[in-house]
C-alpha cells in the first residue's frame, strides 16, 4: 500500500523511549500506517509524521503518570495515547475505552499481537461504564473533546484524589480557563499545564492535569456512583 511505504524509519529517540519494546512500537506504527488507514482510524496524511506527532508525542506522557497505577484511556480511538503509554510502562494497568466497534476490534488485535497483558479493551462510552469499570487513579485522553466536555466524561471515572491527564495543543491554556467553572463543579481541586518530552519531541507535548478531591464528579455523580456500586455488589452476590 502507498500509505505503508510512506511510513518513515523510526527516529533514534524512539529506541531510547521504547527500550525493550522498540520492535513492538515499530510494529504498532506499521499497523497504524496500514490497517489503521484502511479502516479509517487515522488519516493517510498522518502516516509520514506517525512517529513524532503520534507515538512519541503520546509515549512521553509517561513522565507524569505515577508508578503502578490504574489508567483509563477515554476515547482511545486507534490507541493513542494508551498503547504507546503501555509500551513504555508495563507497571500500569490500562483500560482502553472506546465506543465504536471497528476501533475496539483494531485495539483488541493490537493488544493481542503485541502481547500487552496489562492492557484491557472495553467497548462503551465513559458515561455508560460507571459501575462496570472500577474507579481508576488516572484518566488519559487525546483529541477527544474540548476540556469542559471531556471532564464530564473522564472525571467521574476517577477514584478519590485521582487525576485526569489530557494531551492538548496550543489551546490548552484557553481551554483550561474556559472550563474552570465546570471543573470546579466536577470536584477538581487543582489544575496545571505541563510540558513533557524534553529531548524527545519538538515542540514539547502539552498536558493539562486536573486533580480531584474526595468526590470525583462532584455532587452530580455521587448518587450515580453509589447506585452503580450497589448494583455491582448485587450482581456479585448472584
Amino acid at each position: 500500500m502507498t500509505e505503508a511505504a510512506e511510513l518513515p524509519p523510526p527516529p533514534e529517540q524512539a529506541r531510547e523511549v521504547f527500550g525493550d519494546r522498540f520492535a513492538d512500537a515499530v510494529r504498532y506504527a506499521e499497523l497504524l500506517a496500514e490497517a489503521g488507514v484502511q479502516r479509517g482510524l487515522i488519516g493517510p496524511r498522518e502516516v509520514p509524521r506517525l512517529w513524532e506527532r503520534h507515538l512519541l508525542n503520546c509515549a512521553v506522557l509517561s513522565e507524569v503518570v505515577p508508578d503502578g497505577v490504574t489508567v483509563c484511556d477515554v476515547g482511545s480511538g486507534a490507541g493513542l495515547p494508551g498503547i504507546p503509554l503501555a509500551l513504555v510502562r508495563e507497571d500500569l494497568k490500562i483500560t482502553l475505552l472506546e465506543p465504536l466497534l471497528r476501533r475496539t476490534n483494531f485495539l483488541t488485535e493490537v493488544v493481542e499481537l503485541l502481547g500487552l497483558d496489562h492492557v484491557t479493551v472495553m467497548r462503551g462510552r465513559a458515561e455508560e461504564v460507571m459501575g462496570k469499570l472500577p474507579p481508576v487513579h488516572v484518566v488519559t485522553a487525546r483529541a477527544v473533546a474540548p476540556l469542559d466536555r471531556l471532564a464530564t466524561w473522564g472525571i467521574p471515572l476517577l477514584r478519590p484524589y485521582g487525576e485526569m491527564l489530557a494531551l492538548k495543543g496550543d489551546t490548552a491554556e484557553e481551554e483550561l480557563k474556559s472550563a474552570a467553572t465546570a471543573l470546579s463543579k466536577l470536584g477538581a481541586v487543582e489544575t496545571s499545564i505541563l510540558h513533557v518530552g524534553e529531548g524527545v519531541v519538538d515542540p514539547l507535548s502539552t498536558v493539562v492535569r486536573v486533580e480531584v478531591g474526595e468526590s470525583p464528579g462532584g455532587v452530580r455523580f455521587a448518587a450515580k456512583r453509589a447506585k452503580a456500586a450497589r448494583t455491582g455488589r448485587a450482581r456479585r452476590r448472584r
Side-chain angles (χ1 to χ4, degrees), residues 202-213:
D202 183 20
L204 299 179
S205 298
T206 301
V207 182
V208 175
R209 171 187 271 163
V210 179
E211 300 172 72
V212 300

Side-chain angles (χ1 to χ4, degrees), residues 24-62:
D24 291 324
V26 171
R27 186 67 188 116
Y28 177 50
E30 293 170 348
L31 289 167
L32 287 174
E34 297 165 3
V37 171
Q38 293 164 11
R39 300 186 195 182
L41 305 182
I42 192 165
R45 293 182 180 178
E46 295 302 311
V47 173
R49 49 186 185 177
L50 268 178
W51 283 105
E52 288 82 0
R53 183 179 174 88
H54 298 286
L55 273 75
L56 290 173
N57 177 272
C58 290
V60 296
L61 181 63
S62 65

Side-chain angles (χ1 to χ4, degrees), residues 8 32 34 40 59 73-74 82 94 113 121 136-137 142 147 154 157 160 174 177 181 208 210-211 213 215 220 223 226:
L32 287 174
E34 297 165 3
D73 188 32
V74 172
I94 300 177
L113 183 64
V121 177
V136 297
H137 297 90
R142 177 178 186 257
L147 188 61
L157 300 179
E174 180 183 334
K177 286 180 180 177
T181 300
V208 175
V210 179
E211 300 172 72
S215 299
R220 176 183 171 189

Side-chain angles (χ1 to χ4, degrees), residues 175-197:
E175 284 193 49
L176 190 52
K177 286 180 180 177
S178 63
T181 300
L183 292 175
S184 179
K185 289 180 180 178
L186 287 165
V189 295
E190 189 168 342
T191 61
S192 54
I193 295 177
L194 312 172
H195 299 283
V196 296

Side-chain angles (χ1 to χ4, degrees), residues 33-109:
E34 297 165 3
V37 171
Q38 293 164 11
R39 300 186 195 182
L41 305 182
I42 192 165
R45 293 182 180 178
E46 295 302 311
V47 173
R49 49 186 185 177
L50 268 178
W51 283 105
E52 288 82 0
R53 183 179 174 88
H54 298 286
L55 273 75
L56 290 173
N57 177 272
C58 290
V60 296
L61 181 63
S62 65
E63 295 177 18
V64 291
V65 177
D67 294 338
V69 297
T70 53
V71 178
C72 180
D73 188 32
V74 172
S76 196
L80 301 164
I83 289 177
L85 183 61
L87 287 171
V88 298
R89 294 287 300 276
E90 295 191 36
D91 60 303
L92 305 174
K93 296 288 186 183
I94 300 177
T95 298
L96 306 178
L97 181 62
E98 169 57 47
L100 296 184
L101 180 60
R102 64 187 172 90
R103 293 177 180 171
T104 54
N105 285 342
F106 176 78
L107 293 173
T108 300
E109 291 168 17

Side-chain angles (χ1 to χ4, degrees), residues 126-128 130 151-157 185-187 215-228:
E127 58 269 33
E128 298 169 347
M130 189 180 297
T152 65
W153 300 334
I155 287 181
L157 300 179
K185 289 180 180 178
L186 287 165
S215 299
V219 175
R220 176 183 171 189
F221 286 92
K224 188 173 182 180
R225 186 179 292 106
K227 181 180 179 181

Side-chain angles (χ1 to χ4, degrees), residues 6-18:
E6 294 174 358
L7 179 66
E12 193 58 37
Q13 295 95 319
R15 292 184 179 275
E16 300 170 10
V17 170
F18 291 104

